[in-house]
Amino acid sequence: NVNLFTLSSGDISNGYVTLSSAPDVPGDTILTVISGPMQSYGSDYTVSGSVLTWVGNLATVIAAGDKLVVQYD
């Protein structure tokens, strides 16, 4: 699965986005910020069920309008 998100100010204040389905193995989820670096599971984001939450440094650098690509099985 590939999910594409354009973050809104609401997404930023909520601190999460909801994926179209839950990944089979959450730790294998790949998050890329368009025009930015690939992020690391655990230190930049986590997945619980179908909810991807950003944590750590990622929470301080993303902004409304940023585009995220999330890849998972």
Side-chain angles (χ1 to χ4, degrees), residues 35-46:
S35 299
M38 191 169 96
Q39 305 300 310
S40 298
Y41 187 85
S43 61
D44 296 311
Y45 66 98
T46 59

Side-chain angles (χ1 to χ4, degrees), residues 5-42:
F5 298 95
T6 300
L7 298 178
S8 68
S9 57
D11 295 327
I12 300 298
S13 62
N14 289 339
Y16 68 88
V17 290
T18 302
L19 305 174
S20 61
S21 61
D24 293 338
V25 181
D28 289 346
T29 303
I30 299 169
L31 170 63
T32 306
V33 179
I34 301 297
S35 299
M38 191 169 96
Q39 305 300 310
S40 298
Y41 187 85

